[in-house]
Amino acid sequence: EETARIKGDYTGWGAYLNLAYQLTDTVQLEAGVRYSDDKKQFSTNVPTPVSELGPYWAFGYSTAGPLEDTQSWDDWTPRFIAKWTPTDTALLFASYTAGFKSGGFGTFSLTDDPQGNSPLGEVDITPSQGFKPDSVEPEEVDSYEIGYKDTLFDGAANVDLTAFYYDYTDFQITVSTDSGASKIANVGQIEAWGLEGSITAGLGEYFTAYLSMGYLDSEATDIQDACGLPDPNGCEDSRIFWAPEFSGSFVLSARYPIDGGDLTGNFEMVWESDRGRGWEDLPETEIGAYEEYALRVGYASNQDWFVEAYVENLTDEFTWDGMNNLGGKEPNAFFGPRRPRTYGMRTGYNW
């Protein structure tokens, strides 16, 4: 049995400054900058298994004690936004934001030693050999958004529309190693663009409806190191496989006043198109389109307490949270089975 003892001590701090300038009565400009500083101390200890099969399945090596490394990363990330309010209720905006995801360490992998030797096959590695926990550099993203928000029908409905474009560099991806274990690596570039929209509307005196829809398209390039196909160029232009192309939700809420409080109810639906298949676009690891319903009925007291009965996953649908092609090796893996139909009650107090 292969085991590992992983320890991490992470610290970080950040500071943010934002300035706004009212250019005209209807136009406002904002500029901001954030500084982030993260420090991570990481150690891994992989004892040699008692079994004579050795440490060759999960890790591909073993250590005589903890191997440690400490690294830090910092970055300045700006943000700019322009807002225009052509009417008392409408807002149009355009923004640019730079994002920074700190570097880190992988649980299953080590660096090569100073002479360039791989740790694979090594047993009882000591710190003096020069192997260290394998680190990954920060991931960065440039985000562009344009949007429209408004209140319509004399306040009876709110509308929110956004179009976006994201450009990721040094994207942090889980890739397979020669041992079959996985590591986190900076691989390639990802461009993603899409649309999101929602509307909230009052339906008479007691009902409110909420509807949202989303569309996402994406393209990954220079991901040869993450590709499990015989031709590593075969994964180029793949989409972000863990995110559906289309998604949406609908909520119908009811609130009816009675003596001492309100009767409440919610009907909820979420939906997404198919996803999965990995960078290799394997049909056998597709996660099919999925929809789920929930129903909630309760009582909310004027004294701030409430009680609610609910049924989640009303039609007992099944899906997975995610999948892993394991670098093209068999068998592939699905993980996170969705919770089946669930009944329950909850109560609480709001203050």
Side-chain angles (χ1 to χ4, degrees):
E1 180 183 4
E2 293 183 68
T3 61
R5 301 180 182 94
I6 307 299
K7 292 183 179 180
D9 183 8
Y10 305 155
T11 59
W13 66 277
Y16 182 73
L17 174 67
N18 190 77
L19 300 175
Y21 178 70
Q22 196 71 36
L23 186 64
T24 70
D25 289 342
T26 60
V27 176
Q28 184 183 77
L29 303 178
E30 293 185 23
V33 63
R34 177 183 176 87
Y35 177 73
S36 303
D37 188 288
D38 293 294
K39 181 179 180 181
K40 298 185 178 182
Q41 181 179 357
F42 187 88
S43 73
T44 180
N45 184 8
V46 183
T48 302
V50 176
S51 168
E52 295 194 14
L53 294 176
Y56 303 121
W57 171 247
F59 292 91
Y61 60 86
S62 69
T63 68
L67 302 180
E68 299 182 352
D69 193 14
T70 300
Q71 294 199 34
S72 61
W73 300 270
D74 66 287
D75 199 12
W76 295 88
T77 48
R79 176 177 180 265
F80 304 97
I81 183 169
K83 301 177 181 178
W84 178 41
T85 52
T87 70
D88 291 340
T89 61
L91 169 67
L92 294 166
F93 69 89
S95 70
Y96 164 76
T97 304
F100 166 79
K101 180 180 179 181
S102 179
F105 294 92
T107 300
F108 294 94
S109 57
L110 299 177
T111 64
D112 293 344
D113 68 12
Q115 289 74 43
N117 299 312
S118 169
L120 298 181
E122 297 286 338
V123 177
D124 293 331
I125 295 173
T126 64
S128 63
Q129 293 176 253
F131 296 105
K132 294 182 178 181
D134 200 9
S135 63
V136 61
E137 291 301 307
E139 172 185 301
E140 298 181 350
V141 60
D142 292 311
S143 168
Y144 304 85
E145 295 186 356
I146 57 173
Y148 165 70
K149 302 175 185 285
D150 207 346
T151 300
L152 306 175
F153 310 118
D154 296 324
N158 294 321
V159 175
D160 191 337
L161 299 172
T162 303
F164 59 86
Y165 169 77
Y166 301 150
D167 185 7
Y168 293 88
T169 55
D170 293 327
F171 198 69
Q172 296 175 3
I173 299 177
T174 300
V175 301
S176 295
T177 65
D178 293 338
S179 70
S182 61
K183 63 179 289 185
I184 309 297
N186 298 103
V187 177
Q189 178 175 333
I190 290 182
E191 296 180 83
W193 51 94
L195 299 169
E196 294 177 344
S198 68
I199 182 170
T200 305
L203 305 178
E205 187 175 357
Y206 306 118
F207 293 91
T208 302
Y210 170 81
L211 175 66
S212 71
M213 294 292 292
Y215 168 75
L216 175 68
D217 195 3
S218 58
E219 184 178 278
T221 55
D222 297 329
I223 57 171
Q224 288 86 354
D225 289 345
C227 185
L229 296 176
D231 178 7
N233 292 313
C235 297
E236 291 296 279
D237 302 327
S238 296
R239 67 183 180 94
I240 302 176
F241 59 84
W242 53 86
E245 184 177 11
F246 296 96
S247 61
S249 66
F250 173 75
V251 179
L252 180 64
S253 302
R255 196 172 190 95
Y256 185 80
I258 60 175
D259 290 341
D262 297 309
L263 292 177
T264 62
N266 268 16
F267 172 77
E268 305 165 5
M269 186 272 285
V270 295
W271 170 83
E272 62 181 30
S273 60
D274 58 84
R275 54 191 173 88
R277 291 175 167 254
W279 302 117
E280 296 81 9
D281 195 29
L282 302 181
E284 57 267 33
T285 55
E286 178 176 293
I287 300 174
Y290 177 79
E291 59 187 41
E292 183 176 316
Y293 303 90
L295 185 64
R296 310 177 194 277
V297 179
Y299 173 76
S301 167
N302 291 337
Q303 281 72 48
D304 297 324
W305 60 268
F306 68 90
V307 62
E308 177 185 81
Y310 63 85
V311 184
E312 296 176 343
N313 195 358
L314 187 65
T315 55
D316 201 24
E317 301 295 324
F318 179 81
T319 191
W320 299 97
D321 287 341
M323 45 64 61
N324 192 331
N325 282 352
L326 300 176
K329 302 178 178 66
E330 294 289 347
N332 305 304
F334 292 89
F335 57 85
R338 189 61 54 91
R339 188 169 63 172
R341 183 189 296 118
T342 304
Y343 305 84
M345 295 192 67
R346 55 191 292 265
T347 185
Y349 184 85
N350 298 316
W351 65 87

